[in-house]
């Protein structure tokens, strides 16, 4: 039996070669192509995630979803800890190539698992996953890819700009990496970018200093909760 939802999930996760999705962005494998180890470990501010960390995080969640589809035992992902695996030390070119290969391998394995998945089970509940159906899980992992690909693309652009102790640039990055309230985050980002263009970094920094100290922590806590709620 064919199911249009399964076709769309596969199209979002793994579009055919030469075809760009409507949003025009990179694929999960394509977004790390050409990234150097130095660029991959760079962080725009303390306690923010790097491209390397995001790469391992995306690979882990591809594995975690596949584990539900294929009923695999826990603890079979080759890196630890769960959710946010640690960047290896040393973090050189061989290690970065290995982790990019891990991402690609987990991506291919997930696509193959979805292709083999019985469409009749899409509306079944995922075992031990609150009230999510398999359809929710699969559309969720596709959305997870797109969200983190966007983060990686932003980090690549930020790395190409001067990244000294610029308070406004750092705080704008914190906003971009937050997901607790998507609509609020986007509106705030657009407003601050407008101020940045018209009045410069000092004006943005002054505005951000007026926010409560716990603002970004609350946003990051919300992002972690959203990731964890899928499984």
């Amino acid at each position: 039996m064919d199911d249009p939802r399964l076709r769309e999930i596969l199209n979002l996760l793994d579009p055919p070669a030469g075809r760009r999705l409507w949003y025009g962005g990179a694929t999960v494998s394509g977004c790390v192509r050409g990234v150097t180890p130095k660029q991959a470990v760079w962080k725009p501010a303390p306690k923010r995630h790097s491209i390397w960390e995001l790469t391992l995080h995306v690979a882990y969640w591809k594995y975690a979803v596949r584990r539900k589809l294929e009923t695999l035992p826990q603890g079979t992902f080759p890196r630890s800890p769960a959710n946010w695996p640690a960047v290896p030390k040393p973090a050189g070119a061989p290690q970065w190539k290995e982790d990019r290969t891990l991402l690609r391998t987990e991506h291919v394995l997930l696509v193959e698992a979805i292709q083999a998945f019985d469409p009749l089970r899409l509306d079944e509940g995922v075992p031990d996953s609150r009230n999510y159906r398999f359809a929710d899980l699969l559309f969720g992992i596709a959305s997870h890819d797109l969200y983190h690909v966007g983060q990686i693309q932003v980090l690549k652009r930020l790395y190409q700009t001067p990244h000294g102790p610029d308070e406004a640039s750092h705080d704008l990055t914190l906003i971009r990496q937050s997901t607790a309230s998507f609509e609020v985050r986007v509106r705030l980002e657009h407003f601050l970018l407008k101020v940045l263009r018209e009045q410069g970094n000092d004006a943005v920094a002054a505005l951000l200093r007026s926010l409560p100290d716990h603002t970004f922590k609350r946003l990051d806590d919300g992002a972690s909760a959203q990731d964890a709620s899928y499984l």
Side-chain angles (χ1 to χ4, degrees), residues 150-193:
Q151 280 188 314
I152 290 172
Q153 295 294 83
V154 168
L155 286 170
K156 286 159 65 175
R157 292 292 297 273
L158 287 173
Y159 182 83
Q160 294 169 358
T161 62
H163 41 264
D166 185 332
E167 182 179 356
S169 295
H170 285 175
D171 286 339
L172 281 170
T173 303
L174 301 185
I175 295 168
R176 289 188 174 103
Q177 290 187 317
S178 303
T179 59
S181 174
F182 180 79
E183 182 179 357
V184 171
R185 180 179 62 83
V186 169
R187 289 180 181 224
L188 180 57
E189 180 178 343
H190 286 179
F191 171 70
L192 290 174
L193 287 172

Side-chain angles (χ1 to χ4, degrees), residues 87-103:
V87 172
K89 295 181 180 180
Q95 292 80 17
W96 177 227
K97 181 179 180 181
E98 181 179 346
D99 283 346
R100 282 185 288 125
T101 300
L102 174 62
L103 172 63

Side-chain angles (χ1 to χ4, degrees), residues 46 92 209 219:
R209 279 195 296 269
L219 290 170

